[in-house]
Amino acid sequence: MGRMNERHTPIDGKPSNSNLSSKPSNNKLSNNKPKVIGIGDNGRDSLLPLYLDWITQSEVLVGGERQLQFFPEYPGEKVVVKGGLSELAARLKSEAEQGRRTVVLASGDPLFYGIGGYLSSKLEVEVYPNLSSIQLAFARMGESWQDAELISVHGRNIKGLAQRIDGKRKVALLTDDHNNPVAIAAYLLSFGMEEYEVFVAENLDGSEEHTGWFGLQDLAAMEAADFSSLNVVILKHKADAASTLPDWPLGIDDELFAQRKPDKGLITKKEIRVLSLAQLGLRPNSIVWDIGTCTGSVAIEAARIARQGEVYAIEKNEGDLQNCLENMHRFRADITAVQGRAPQGLEAFPDPNAVFIGGSGGEMKELLHICCSRLQPGGRIVLNAATIENLYEANRTFAEEGFATNITLAQISRSKPILDMTRFEGLNPIYIITAQHKKPENSTAGEKETKAGE
């Protein structure tokens, strides 16, 4: 705490500019910038004397009901934060312009998944952080946390968490009433992530602080009401986790996927899958569509590349969709997979950065029109075609949509033993068609684009 005081308060007693937002300062209003002060669950005891002086001298005190309760005798105006942050930002700006001294109270570090980040992006504020709940939780564990993955599921969908944390040795989660410790344990078990043990820290620095270690099975069997709503969850690998963790590099072997029986083979083969994924040009935060997902092999590998993104898959056959869902949990890829015959159903998906089409179901022209019209700038569509007829139709349709295409014919053979010798067995040739928005005429693209009709 001494360092915090030292950083923000030089010996002249005035707040330093070093902690201010990066927006240009306005000298006329510099002394009236709202102060955003982090506060702990132990209320006034968590604040430096200087911060308490600022609160006492302020005319407006803003915060959640819990924070404001720490100051029952505050003489000025109290403003309770109940959503509507844009309105709050406008109110704070108005107060500053009128010269009214304003303090905003926020839990822990206001710039760590807190209100401070939003306010500092909308107006000039001074931010004075406290200890975050994550810092306190690791302190209670007696563990370093510079190597931890920090994720918030507070007010957020837990979807996609599995691939984001898979393989991470330490994970800190900010929770809420819905994504509580019990729900998180059940979620992890559904993806077979039993290598974790769980540390739950409740009401940190408060009068009802409680911490403890739990196994996933034991935790999942408890009730959400067994925990305070103010909690932090830390996941840590068990001591023997390294020897039990599954390892799935890019290009998961075909036979590891659950597939339709006895008609095995309805899967994008590993070699074609890797080439197609490369052509999709995925980024960590890409939004991906997999149309005609079947076993889900492409969608699953895409999710393990775009771990901070979102993957949406659609499949018309119920049996294949069930295999996809089984594979999703097997390979720890929490994708959104639905049954439907594309293009119907695509309207529920957000606009993609990348689209993979493994099967069109006979509606190629309409399907490609929708994909091209919804594709985000700079995105790619990759279509696998097994026949020259589908190749021709796809290439022509892309040209009509104003897209340029690049086509690869992949003819793959795999070695196969025969007695004490080895021969090669060919897979079906596949045309990998990659489509993008046409580049400007003066583009210096190094690769010549193939256009339909040429």
Side-chain angles (χ1 to χ4, degrees):
M1 299 296 284
R3 289 186 63 192
M4 187 187 302
N5 189 17
E6 185 178 315
R7 181 191 306 170
H8 292 298
T9 312
I11 55 176
D12 62 2
K14 296 180 182 179
S16 165
N17 286 331
S18 64
N19 65 304
L20 305 186
S21 66
S22 59
K23 295 193 167 190
S25 63
N26 182 326
N27 292 332
K28 183 179 179 181
L29 301 177
S30 61
N31 293 330
N32 296 319
K33 294 175 185 175
K35 291 178 169 58
V36 183
I37 299 177
I39 187 170
D41 205 38
N42 53 340
R44 301 172 68 99
D45 291 343
S46 69
L47 299 176
L48 295 173
L50 177 64
Y51 298 174
L52 290 171
D53 288 344
W54 286 341
I55 293 170
T56 301
Q57 296 163 11
S58 68
E59 298 165 87
V60 181
L61 185 61
V62 181
E65 291 182 356
R66 187 167 60 89
Q67 284 90 24
L68 293 179
Q69 286 173 358
F70 293 127
F71 300 90
E73 316 230 338
Y74 178 74
E77 180 184 359
K78 289 184 178 180
V79 177
V80 180
V81 177
K82 289 185 175 179
L85 292 184
S86 59
E87 295 178 7
L88 175 61
R91 168 75 184 271
L92 294 175
K93 188 174 183 180
S94 174
E95 299 290 2
E97 290 171 348
Q98 295 175 46
R100 299 186 75 193
R101 296 183 296 275
T102 304
V103 169
V104 180
L105 299 175
S107 296
D109 183 350
L111 293 175
F112 183 71
Y113 290 109
I115 193 174
Y118 178 82
L119 293 180
S120 64
S121 71
K122 299 299 180 182
L123 70 155
E124 291 185 273
V125 296
E126 297 177 357
V127 180
Y128 299 87
N130 210 308
L131 295 174
S132 71
S133 57
I134 297 293
Q135 287 175 285
L136 290 170
F138 276 102
R140 300 298 187 268
M141 290 172 63
E143 288 269 352
S144 61
W145 60 288
Q146 72 272 5
D147 55 343
E149 185 80 4
L150 310 179
I151 297 175
S152 176
V153 291
H154 180 88
R156 294 168 166 82
N157 197 326
I158 201 171
K159 194 75 179 173
L161 180 65
Q163 58 263 35
R164 288 179 194 136
I165 69 173
D166 185 30
K168 304 293 184 182
R169 196 170 69 87
K170 295 178 191 173
V171 181
L173 298 171
L174 297 177
T175 66
D176 61 18
D177 289 338
H178 181 69
N179 295 318
N180 55 68
V182 175
I184 290 169
Y187 175 90
L188 296 176
L189 287 172
S190 74
F191 286 91
M193 307 181 85
E194 298 188 36
E195 66 270 19
Y196 286 112
E197 53 185 351
V198 186
F199 183 80
V200 181
E202 308 168 69
N203 301 311
L204 287 165
D205 260 354
S207 58
E208 298 182 6
E209 176 177 313
H210 181 77
T211 62
W213 286 97
F214 300 86
L216 283 178
Q217 296 287 355
D218 293 337
L219 185 55
M222 298 175 71
E223 300 291 334
D226 294 332
F227 297 94
S228 165
S229 59
L230 297 175
N231 68 74
V232 174
V233 168
I234 309 293
L235 308 176
K236 182 184 176 184
H237 275 177
K238 298 175 184 176
D240 62 347
S243 61
T244 61
L245 280 176
D247 181 25
W248 297 300
L250 178 63
I252 300 172
D253 289 338
D254 298 344
E255 59 269 19
L256 297 181
F257 290 92
Q259 301 174 50
R260 190 194 304 179
K261 297 178 180 180
D263 303 320
K264 277 196 173 185
L266 295 176
I267 182 174
T268 302
K269 298 295 190 292
K270 178 172 73 172
E271 296 85 352
I272 304 300
R273 190 188 325 136
V274 170
L275 290 171
S276 298
L277 286 165
Q279 289 298 99
L280 285 171
L282 299 179
R283 300 291 184 267
N285 62 344
S286 291
I287 296 175
V288 186
W289 291 1
D290 181 3
I291 299 173
T293 193
C294 201
T295 60
S297 63
V298 172
I300 287 166
E301 298 232 40
R304 295 182 62 80
I305 296 171
R307 291 180 183 242
Q308 306 300 322
E310 302 169 30
V311 177
Y312 297 83
I314 188 167
E315 171 55 47
K316 64 181 179 179
N317 296 315
E318 182 179 358
D320 289 330
L321 180 63
Q322 291 307 310
N323 284 331
C324 173
L325 295 175
E326 179 181 339
N327 289 324
M328 177 182 97
H329 287 273
R330 179 180 298 180
F331 296 108
R332 302 179 173 186
D334 189 9
I335 65 175
T336 298
V338 300
Q339 185 175 1
R341 190 183 186 93
Q344 286 74 37
L346 297 179
E347 67 278 358
F349 297 169
D351 290 350
N353 306 106
V355 179
F356 175 76
I357 303 174
S360 65
E363 301 86 5
M364 185 179 293
K365 188 175 182 67
E366 181 185 1
L367 175 61
L368 293 186
H369 171 70
I370 291 174
C371 291
C372 290
S373 61
R374 300 260 325 259
L375 187 69
Q376 294 192 42
R380 295 185 180 188
I381 300 172
V382 174
L383 184 149
N384 285 179
T387 68
I388 56 175
E389 289 78 12
N390 282 344
L391 167 66
Y392 173 77
E393 184 177 359
N395 204 36
R396 181 183 63 181
T397 303
F398 279 129
E400 291 172 354
E401 295 290 337
F403 275 57
T405 57
N406 179 283
I407 303 167
T408 299
L409 172 58
Q411 296 177 295
I412 306 295
S413 296
R414 292 176 175 173
S415 64
K416 189 172 183 178
I418 176 171
L419 299 177
D420 58 345
M421 297 177 286
T422 303
R423 69 181 180 87
F424 280 84
E425 187 174 77
L427 304 180
N428 289 334
I430 298 293
Y431 299 100
I432 302 174
I433 309 160
T434 304
Q436 297 175 271
H437 296 94
K438 284 185 179 178
K439 297 178 181 178
E441 291 297 325
N442 60 353
S443 170
T444 58
E447 188 172 13
K448 185 177 180 180
E449 309 288 6
T450 306
K451 299 181 177 65
E454 293 187 355

